[in-house]
Amino acid sequence: METSIACCTRSTILPNVSSQQYSAALASPRSVYPSFSSKSLKASSLFGESLRAAPKSSLKIVKAKNSSSLVTKCEIGDSLEEFLSKSTKDKGLIRLMTCMGEALRTIAFKVRTASCGGTACVNSFGDEQLAVDMLADKLLFEALEYSHYCKYACSEEVPELQDMGGPAEGGFSVAFDPLDGSSIVDTNFTVGTIFGVWPGDKLTGVTGSQQVAAAMGIFGPRTTYVLALKDVPGTHEFLLLDEGKWQHVKDTTSIGEGKMFSPGNLRATFDNPDYAKLIDYYIREKYTLRYTGGMVPDVNQIIVKEKGIFTNVISPTAKAKLRLLFEVAPLGFLIEKAGGFSSDGKQSVLDKVIINLDDRTQVAYGSKNEIIRFEETLYGSSRLKTAAPVGASA
């Protein structure tokens, strides 16, 4: 009998953690956030306390109306492990996403406690002092290797395939940006990790729509793990609690209309008059500007606020910088699973074939009408065309 997945919301109270417990944990950062080792990952522990596996009795299974299939309900308040066990039967994917969650927790601590000088922010990795982006890079590779289900991994820092030892059949290949926004860590802006998961052993000759999962870790005032799975509706936010557990706190299934814009690569307006026209429209129509210079928080706010538009447009002198494999496709997957839309100007970024590991592109993410406006303003027509022109394209 086929099992389908549905996510629902119920009110929840976050568990209390005493200030003494939290302070004691932070007093010994080596024991709290150890570098990845088989010991730390086997324990699935951050604060010396094993994460709970979802007991079978916790799965809520109900009959769908007019259907013989079963519906497994993932709920607000679930732990990451409970959510994943309800969402997929693929133990390899559960293992991989859990291991990446372990890495994100450690990266969050390393970013938060980094020492920033004139040229870089650094922290300890074993006996080494590394720039935080390279430290994040190493942690993610270690987590993927330890998952035992990753065949190939590739990082924006070194865009070459690395064999992680996992199986090609039944395994996955992962591309990631270890620390997007690393240049603004010293200013204490929000930064994050981005990754996409493809089945098998290929990261070229594939499209973003073939991802089985994508996620980002957001390291700001709150530490969150935002993920989407191919066969599960919506994009889901997990909050890192004081005791080191990820808790499901938000589902996003629709992106509505709202006047919020986040314009990247504004230098392109100098010699791209259509982009300048679009920006002028946002200003004239009194959109709220929300732009940090970090792609992760600027895209995440669309999912959290459930409205808005992010743009990063090219021009003859301002070339594309965003990488399709490491940033654009995974974030496009998260946005579209959340009910939004993505575009390179003419098509969804999830339909673009990744030819080379370092392929770059322009991009927009947002609600349907905002993407229509983006495409029509820059290229005169939109694949999502509605009955009447909208905004700057009118």
Side-chain angles (χ1 to χ4, degrees):
M1 182 177 293
E2 186 176 320
T3 300
S4 57
I5 306 296
C7 294
C8 68
T9 301
R10 60 173 168 82
S11 61
T12 184
I13 300 175
L14 301 186
N16 294 320
V17 178
S18 68
S19 59
Q20 290 90 345
Q21 179 184 355
Y22 183 63
S23 300
L26 291 185
S28 180
R30 281 187 178 272
S31 62
V32 172
Y33 289 89
S35 173
F36 269 92
S37 66
S38 57
K39 183 179 292 185
S40 66
L41 279 166
K42 280 177 183 175
S44 293
S45 174
L46 189 62
F47 285 78
E49 187 180 327
S50 294
L51 291 178
R52 292 173 300 165
K56 291 182 179 179
S57 60
S58 72
L59 304 186
K60 296 193 176 181
I61 300 178
V62 298
K63 283 269 188 166
K65 291 183 178 179
N66 303 320
S67 172
S68 60
S69 66
L70 294 179
V71 178
T72 305
K73 300 172 73 174
C74 48
E75 299 178 286
I76 298 300
D78 282 346
S79 69
L80 175 64
E81 292 75 14
E82 287 170 335
F83 172 86
L84 291 172
S85 68
K86 295 177 184 181
S87 299
T88 178
K89 293 181 178 179
D90 190 328
K91 293 182 179 180
L93 185 59
I94 292 172
R95 172 74 175 172
L96 188 146
M97 298 300 287
T98 302
C99 286
M100 292 299 272
E102 294 271 0
L104 295 178
R105 292 190 305 189
T106 307
I107 294 169
F109 177 77
K110 293 296 186 180
V111 168
R112 191 166 65 250
T113 58
S115 299
C116 296
T119 58
C121 291
V122 300
N123 210 326
S124 60
F125 183 84
D127 295 329
E128 298 179 89
Q129 288 289 317
L130 296 178
V132 285
D133 53 347
M134 295 307 298
L135 187 153
D137 197 62
K138 284 179 173 287
L139 286 168
L140 291 164
F141 274 121
E142 287 190 7
L144 290 169
E145 183 176 14
Y146 188 79
S147 77
H148 303 303
Y149 281 93
C150 181
K151 175 56 180 172
Y152 289 115
C154 188
S155 164
E156 186 185 43
E157 293 294 330
V158 183
E160 299 175 357
L161 290 182
Q162 306 291 320
D163 193 337
M164 297 287 100
E169 185 175 347
F172 306 94
S173 292
V174 179
F176 61 87
D177 182 349
L179 197 62
D180 182 75
S182 57
S183 63
I184 56 175
V185 170
D186 58 349
T187 61
N188 212 20
F189 282 17
T190 295
V191 295
T193 295
I194 306 167
F195 69 91
V197 183
W198 280 262
D201 60 352
K202 296 191 183 302
L203 288 173
T204 55
V206 296
T207 64
S209 62
Q210 293 173 271
Q211 292 173 96
V212 294
M216 54 183 168
I218 300 109
F219 316 126
R222 301 158 67 238
T223 298
T224 56
Y225 184 9
V226 177
L227 62 86
L229 305 176
K230 185 172 184 178
D231 297 325
V232 180
T235 295
H236 306 273
E237 180 182 83
F238 293 80
L239 175 68
L240 184 61
L241 303 180
D242 284 345
E243 69 266 33
K245 298 175 183 177
W246 294 109
Q247 185 171 59
H248 190 199
V249 294
K250 179 177 173 58
D251 299 320
T252 303
T253 56
S254 65
I255 304 295
E257 305 304 325
K259 292 185 174 183
M260 183 179 73
F261 76 120
S262 184
N265 203 24
L266 280 176
R267 63 175 62 88
T269 59
F270 175 75
D271 54 348
N272 185 334
D274 292 325
Y275 192 29
K277 180 181 178 182
L278 184 63
I279 299 302
D280 287 344
Y281 171 81
Y282 296 145
I283 296 170
R284 185 172 67 252
E285 293 300 315
K286 298 181 179 179
Y287 276 51
T288 299
L289 174 64
R290 289 289 182 267
Y291 181 71
T292 69
M295 192 175 183
V296 165
D298 291 336
V299 173
N300 184 56
Q301 70 180 341
I302 297 173
I303 297 171
V304 173
K305 301 292 189 182
E306 300 182 5
K307 64 179 182 179
I309 175 81
F310 169 89
T311 57
N312 192 294
V313 176
I314 62 173
S315 75
T317 59
K319 304 299 183 182
K321 291 185 176 181
L322 301 179
R323 290 167 172 84
L324 179 59
L325 176 64
F326 304 105
E327 300 163 304
V328 174
L331 292 179
F333 188 86
L334 290 170
I335 286 288
E336 295 201 14
K337 288 292 291 184
F341 293 81
S342 69
S343 177
D344 69 349
K346 297 181 179 179
Q347 63 180 334
S348 165
V349 298
L350 298 186
D351 293 332
K352 292 177 72 70
V353 178
I354 300 164
I355 305 299
N356 302 300
L357 297 176
D358 199 43
D359 285 351
R360 305 182 186 211
T361 183
Q362 66 179 4
V363 67
Y365 304 115
S367 65
K368 182 176 182 179
N369 282 345
E370 292 297 350
I371 296 302
I372 290 172
R373 181 178 293 113
F374 172 80
E375 292 181 346
E376 289 188 337
T377 303
L378 268 63
Y379 293 98
S381 64
S382 173
R383 64 202 159 88
L384 303 173
K385 177 69 177 177
T386 54
V390 292
S393 63

